Amino acid sequence: MTHWLIIPIVLPALLAPFIILCARYHMGIQRVFSVAGVVAMIALALGLAVQTSDGTVMLYQLGDWAAPFGIVLVGDRLSTMMLLLMAVLALFVLLYAIGSKWDERGRHFHVLFQFQLMGISGAFLTGDLFNLFVFFEVLLIASYGLMIHAGGNARLRAGVQYVLFNLLGSTLFLFALGALYAETGTLNMADLAQRVAMISTDASVGIRVATVLLILVFAIKAAIVPLHFWLPSSYAEAPAPVAALFAIMTKVGAYAIIRVYTLIFPVDLEVTAGLHGTWLLPLALLSLAVGAVGVLAAKKFDRLVAFAVISSMGMVMVAIGMFTQESIASALYYIVHSTLAAGALFLIVDLVRQSRGHLELRLDAPVAGGALIAPLFMVAAIAMAGLPPLSGFVGKLMVLNAAFDGGPMAWVFGVILISSLFMVVGFARAGSILFWKAQADNAPVPEVGRAAPSALSFVAVGGLLALLVAHTVFAGPMYRYTTQTAAQLVTPDTYMATVLGTPGKLSGDKTDETKGDH
């Protein structure tokens, strides 16, 4: 391969201006090119994932400038897996947006959608912290435009809150980058890993400050308690396809934590010892509990799902916070599960809104077409709550198994089991109100706001749920893949050697460098 690694960034970057310049007033053409672009992204991501599945670390040097002086893109098991997950989710979200005609309710939906994919792809593939900041800003700008798509006062207020919180994170990110550059003279991740390791403990103040600032930035992105306040309103008020795509956005924060705190600041690094390994796990457990309580107490269906996202991110961060190879492998398995489950639930929220007219959890209106929507809700709710036999249950077992060796077992077991009970009760309450009690009580059917969802909408939701089932059926091969990915993360010699062009590759690993032209 030569230039394939940069195409997932370049493709949406070219499609977006093409759509706005050449198909601005032709929705059909916009849809065709947007879907074709996402399908091409899936093919590219799948090819890159296959290429890196044997341990290969791919490198693309823009302008043929070698690291640490030039901009580099790096593809390994983790980045290509996340890229493929994003592309697959994006396809079903886009199909739903087209089927429900959400893309017609505002201006430039497909343009902003492509820019969003560009930002997320760049965040997963970049090998440089400054460019990670740049791609964070790209996806922030695009996500704000998508969030206020179709307008509305409530949506605008939630969007302003979303932007303010994320701008705070961006400011902290800049401070962290300045501190890192002042101490090390570089922002390339592989080069940082080498230079930080050589800093003595008596000259580590700047590095320790940067470490704390970075974990705060990534915690905001991942919606970890107490930095989660922006998420419930933002996700609940966003258009359904946008909220479903945002299911991958919190995973960008989780990805950044995994990447930075296994490569640059591992837990055994003396100069940053205790700064993230000590308190990340307690906050993750708190996030898991707060999200579960929010699910139990929610009075609207969309906010219930938003709190479920917070709880699922708590589960992901519990696994990451133990910082062992087994726990990171379980976190990666659960990331795939929670992304698909959250995406499906947000689309189901919109199906209920179309059919019922509102999302209040009260006994006044049955869901039209409940015979079709109720089974979809049941499968998605079982998956998100972590009940057997779906992948949520399998993922929780993996996290619990990792806790035997990697963390305070009693706390992890207790919080996970109790929060799972809360989630089950919360989803059961919502399901009974929406699909059972209202029907049994013969509640009046309102005329306003009722619409029959399109077949394409059901295809999109069904596709995500089918992937959840596949994720369960192939849990064994998937866990072996995530275990190999975690092993590559905790021993990053090959990654560093590939990026910096230095000897020291792990025996048995392969390396493939692809360089751009001047």
Side-chain angles (χ1 to χ4, degrees), residues 81 85 329-341 383 389-396 398 463-482:
M81 183 192 85
L85 176 62
S330 62
L332 296 178
Y333 180 89
Y334 200 85
I335 281 174
V336 177
H337 154 79
S338 63
T339 302
L340 298 176
L390 294 179
S391 52
F393 178 72
V394 177
K396 286 186 178 181
M398 293 177 182
L464 288 174
L465 296 180
L467 288 176
L468 276 173
V469 174
H471 193 49
T472 307
V473 172
F474 297 101
M478 189 64 192
Y479 185 63
R480 285 193 293 272
Y481 182 87
T482 60

Side-chain angles (χ1 to χ4, degrees), residues 1-66:
M1 298 178 73
T2 51
H3 299 277
W4 292 111
L5 200 58
I6 198 173
I7 295 180
I9 300 172
V10 171
L11 178 61
L14 294 177
L15 268 177
F18 173 81
I19 289 173
I20 199 170
L21 291 175
C22 301
R24 190 172 189 174
Y25 303 107
H26 303 279
M27 182 57 67
I29 298 177
Q30 291 184 37
R31 289 170 171 174
V32 168
F33 277 96
S34 193
V35 171
V38 174
V39 171
M41 284 275 287
I42 293 176
L44 287 166
L46 184 60
L48 293 173
V50 170
Q51 182 75 10
T52 58
S53 62
D54 61 352
T56 296
V57 177
M58 302 176 63
L59 177 68
Y60 184 86
Q61 298 172 335
L62 277 77
D64 206 23
W65 282 85

Side-chain angles (χ1 to χ4, degrees), residues 402-420:
F404 277 109
D405 301 319
M409 184 176 66
W411 280 101
V412 172
F413 269 63
V415 174
I416 288 178
L417 294 177
I418 294 173
S419 64
S420 297

Side-chain angles (χ1 to χ4, degrees), residues 105-321:
R105 303 184 196 182
R107 296 171 63 84
H108 310 311
F109 176 87
H110 293 282
V111 174
L112 293 168
F113 193 89
Q114 294 298 323
F115 277 129
Q116 181 83 352
L117 298 185
M118 171 193 169
I120 299 173
S121 300
F124 289 147
L125 292 174
T126 185
D128 184 278
L129 279 180
F130 182 77
N131 286 290
L132 180 62
F133 166 78
V134 171
F135 286 118
F136 272 9
E137 296 311 296
V138 172
L139 65 89
L140 172 62
I141 294 170
S143 63
Y144 178 65
L146 286 171
M147 186 176 171
I148 62 173
H149 181 76
N153 291 333
R155 190 166 292 151
L156 183 60
R157 284 195 301 270
V160 170
Q161 182 186 36
Y162 169 79
V163 168
L164 289 177
F165 264 86
N166 281 275
L167 284 179
L168 173 62
S170 299
T171 304
L172 294 177
F173 204 169
L174 278 179
F175 289 158
L177 295 180
L180 277 176
Y181 194 80
E183 293 291 327
T184 63
T186 184
L187 291 175
N188 179 276
M189 294 186 196
D191 198 33
L192 270 171
Q194 285 193 347
R195 299 194 186 195
V196 169
M198 294 186 291
I199 296 176
S200 61
T201 54
D202 58 352
S204 61
V205 175
I207 291 297
R208 294 173 71 84
V209 169
T211 303
V212 173
L213 289 176
L214 283 176
I215 198 70
L216 286 174
V217 171
F218 301 148
I220 291 174
K221 301 294 183 184
I224 301 174
V225 173
L227 302 173
H228 69 293
F229 293 105
W230 60 272
L231 189 145
S233 295
S234 300
Y235 280 37
E237 297 297 340
V242 176
L245 183 63
F246 281 9
I248 195 69
M249 295 274 283
T250 49
K251 309 310 184 295
V252 175
Y255 166 85
I257 291 174
I258 294 173
R259 177 68 74 193
V260 171
Y261 292 94
T262 57
L263 177 62
I264 304 174
F265 307 115
V267 289
D268 58 353
L269 184 66
E270 188 176 1
V271 296
T272 58
L275 291 182
H276 53 280
T278 302
W279 62 267
L280 185 58
L281 181 58
L283 290 183
L285 291 171
L286 183 60
S287 301
L288 181 58
V290 168
V293 171
V295 169
L296 189 62
K299 296 181 179 180
K300 294 184 65 177
F301 189 26
D302 50 2
R303 293 186 72 86
L304 181 148
V305 177
F307 276 104
V309 170
I310 294 174
S311 185
S312 70
M313 282 307 301
M315 178 66 68
V316 170
M317 297 312 303
V318 165
I320 296 173

